[in-house]
Amino acid sequence: MRGTRRHRYIDFHVDYSDLDTDGTHSELLQALRTHALALFSKNLKDLRLWVVQFDGTQGILKCHYTEKDHVIQLLLSIKKIGTKPVRISTRSTSGTIRGLAEKKQKNMQD
């Protein structure tokens, strides 16, 4: 078993208080860095965290499987991206991006 290559993908959604604005990829990264240091005294590399996709309102993060709960806690703790007040919610987690897509498709059908 490849213990060092086990990842989890986390699908999340960002709700902005101001409806006509979206955050950028770099603003999200800065918010993640700041909160990771404040909450866990770790940087993103220590959490093995990567932003796979972020379009301003929806995104996918990749992390090591042992850090999944920390990353979810980190996401939920973010209240601002840049200067914009936000509320972040996680939608689902999976071991593969394909699994996330299947879960998203299933939720859309329900």
Side-chain angles (χ1 to χ4, degrees), residues 37-50:
L37 280 172
L39 286 175
F40 309 116
S41 299
K42 293 182 176 182
N43 60 32
L44 298 184
K45 188 174 182 180
D46 293 337
L47 290 173
R48 300 179 196 165
L49 178 63
W50 299 97

Side-chain angles (χ1 to χ4, degrees), residues 32-97:
L32 288 168
R33 282 186 195 111
T34 303
H35 283 80
L37 280 172
L39 286 175
F40 309 116
S41 299
K42 293 182 176 182
N43 60 32
L44 298 184
K45 188 174 182 180
D46 293 337
L47 290 173
R48 300 179 196 165
L49 178 63
W50 299 97
V51 178
V52 175
Q53 175 187 338
F54 182 63
D55 68 3
T57 58
Q58 298 182 51
I60 298 173
L61 296 179
K62 176 182 175 181
C63 66
H64 194 261
Y65 76 104
T66 59
E67 299 291 349
K68 181 188 86 160
D69 293 329
H70 284 146
V71 172
I72 291 173
Q73 183 181 355
L74 173 64
L75 276 172
L76 298 177
S77 73
I78 295 174
K79 302 299 178 204
K80 283 188 176 186
I81 293 180
T83 58
K84 305 163 196 86
V86 297
R87 187 173 56 88
I88 299 178
S89 57
T90 57
R91 292 184 168 173
S92 59
T93 62
S94 180
T96 62
I97 292 177

